[in-house]
Amino acid sequence: MEIGFIGLGKMGMNMVTRLSQGGHRVVAYDQAAELVQHAEGVGCTGALSLLDLVTQLRPPRSVWIMVPSGSPTSDTVQRLSALLQTGDTIIDGGNSRFQDDILRTGEMKQRGIYYVDVGTSGGVWGLSLGYCLMVGGEAAAIAHLAPILNSLAPPNGWAHVGGPGAGHYVKMVHNGIEYGLMQAYAEGFELMSKSEYALDLAKIAALWMEGSVVRSWLLELTAHILSENPHLSQLTGSVQDSGEGRWMIEDAVAKNVPVPTLASALFTRFRSRQVQPEGAFSERMLSALRNAFGGHAIQKH
């Protein structure tokens, strides 16, 4: 299949690489020319501009956007849609708010353009392991994209979860759960780091991966992190958040659903950014985990 791809950051570059390896023709664009050259090196066709990208695709076109949420995504959608035609499809694979997807779907429908939202999970490991894809939008548009989704995801790794915005809604809740899981691991390992026993935390994390009820990929990453840096030295405890946890709390308040675990995890991140330079062991672990699965920036001292 043929697809255009906009945004060649950590996630985007790995995604176009996986698509190219899957036999698809990928026309790739990024504002950074060196990233376009990199994409060409992994088998993609480079584009010099959005217009160049659209011109190189045959109708009906499908274009995947993988840029930061908010204004970068909105601006890209508007500029791209002005170049597309009836029957073309825009896919937003970033972390947009689901309410924004609903509005954009309506706007694009007036122009005859399909709009599909895809919650994408897998971080920097998706190139080798595949991406879990939560897809929202009209069934006809999604059926057309199935070859692309099949290549990006592992077996049974994508699903059409509902109408416009549903993909990003499910991804929002996914990320909120992720906050809570990470917080629980971080607090437990901090407690063990202060034990009267000389505990090998990396060994314990690896042990729990063998049949334990708390085994997970995040725990696997924890074992790897602690084996390389047992005391998480040189890291600060400053933990960022990318917005989804805040949106989930807003949605929970609107629906009268208690989410105390998520709220506590989010507020811990707020607190972490007020305490410097070292921060608690648990907060240094949160920062290290975010870097391990998503390549998110970490602060060192």
Side-chain angles (χ1 to χ4, degrees), residues 201-212 215 219 223:
L201 300 186
K203 182 178 180 180
I204 291 168
L207 170 66
W208 286 352
M209 286 301 300
E210 303 302 326
S212 164
R215 65 188 182 275
L219 185 60

Side-chain angles (χ1 to χ4, degrees), residues 5-228:
F5 204 100
I6 301 169
L8 301 173
K10 296 184 185 73
M11 289 275 284
M13 188 64 73
N14 284 347
M15 292 173 76
V16 297
T17 302
R18 189 173 172 93
L19 287 171
S20 181
Q21 291 173 349
H24 301 283
R25 178 176 182 262
V26 183
V27 181
Y29 171 71
D30 192 282
Q31 291 180 335
E34 64 272 16
L35 293 179
V36 176
Q37 293 175 352
H38 186 178
E40 291 174 336
V42 298
C44 300
T45 300
L48 300 176
S49 64
L50 293 183
L51 176 60
D52 187 31
L53 179 142
V54 170
T55 301
Q56 294 191 61
L57 296 171
R58 295 183 297 271
R61 307 170 185 86
S62 298
V63 183
W64 190 297
I65 299 174
M66 204 71 188
V67 301
S69 61
S71 295
T73 295
S74 297
D75 293 346
T76 303
V77 169
Q78 293 304 318
R79 292 168 54 209
L80 176 63
S81 63
L83 302 171
L84 295 179
Q85 299 174 344
T86 299
D88 292 345
T89 303
I90 294 175
I91 309 105
D92 176 11
N95 281 326
S96 294
R97 296 186 72 155
F98 72 94
Q99 296 97 331
D100 293 339
D101 295 316
I102 295 171
L103 293 174
R104 290 182 193 133
T105 298
E107 293 174 359
M108 295 303 108
K109 192 170 186 177
Q110 293 179 357
R111 306 184 191 186
I113 298 171
Y114 292 109
Y115 188 89
V116 175
D117 56 284
V118 180
T120 307
S121 181
V124 295
W125 297 78
L127 172 59
S128 57
L129 301 177
Y131 300 89
C132 178
L133 303 174
M134 297 143 264
V135 188
E138 293 187 28
I142 294 167
H144 176 70
L145 295 173
I148 294 297
L149 301 172
N150 287 335
S151 290
L152 287 173
N156 303 313
W158 74 269
H160 181 193
V161 296
H168 282 146
Y169 183 83
V170 173
K171 178 57 163 44
M172 175 189 74
V173 176
H174 163 284
N175 282 21
I177 293 172
E178 174 191 295
Y179 279 35
L181 289 172
M182 290 172 61
Q183 186 68 33
Y185 284 134
E187 291 176 6
F189 278 91
E190 177 171 22
L191 181 60
M192 288 193 289
S193 77
K194 292 177 167 55
S195 168
E196 60 270 29
Y197 300 103
L199 299 177
D200 184 334
L201 300 186
K203 182 178 180 180
I204 291 168
L207 170 66
W208 286 352
M209 286 301 300
E210 303 302 326
S212 164
V213 297
V214 298
R215 65 188 182 275
S216 72
W217 184 49
L218 287 172
L219 185 60
E220 184 180 348
L221 292 175
T222 298
H224 177 71
I225 290 166
L226 291 173
S227 68
E228 293 193 336

Side-chain angles (χ1 to χ4, degrees), residues 189-299:
F189 278 91
E190 177 171 22
L191 181 60
M192 288 193 289
S193 77
K194 292 177 167 55
S195 168
E196 60 270 29
Y197 300 103
L199 299 177
D200 184 334
L201 300 186
K203 182 178 180 180
I204 291 168
L207 170 66
W208 286 352
M209 286 301 300
E210 303 302 326
S212 164
V213 297
V214 298
R215 65 188 182 275
S216 72
W217 184 49
L218 287 172
L219 185 60
E220 184 180 348
L221 292 175
T222 298
H224 177 71
I225 290 166
L226 291 173
S227 68
E228 293 193 336
N229 189 356
H231 303 290
L232 304 178
S233 56
Q234 297 186 327
L235 295 180
T236 72
S238 179
V239 188
Q240 302 300 314
D241 72 282
S242 52
E244 296 88 349
R246 303 179 190 222
W247 304 340
M248 184 173 166
I249 287 179
E250 291 177 7
D251 190 58
V253 170
K255 294 179 170 64
N256 296 318
V257 175
V259 288
T261 301
L262 168 61
S264 177
L266 179 63
F267 294 157
T268 294
R269 296 189 180 199
F270 293 170
R271 182 191 64 198
S272 77
R273 302 199 287 267
Q274 298 172 343
V275 180
Q276 293 293 334
E278 185 176 81
F281 183 95
S282 61
E283 291 162 359
R284 299 201 302 277
M285 179 175 285
L286 289 174
S287 180
L289 275 170
R290 291 184 81 246
N291 176 259
F293 71 73
H296 300 289
I298 56 176
Q299 294 184 19

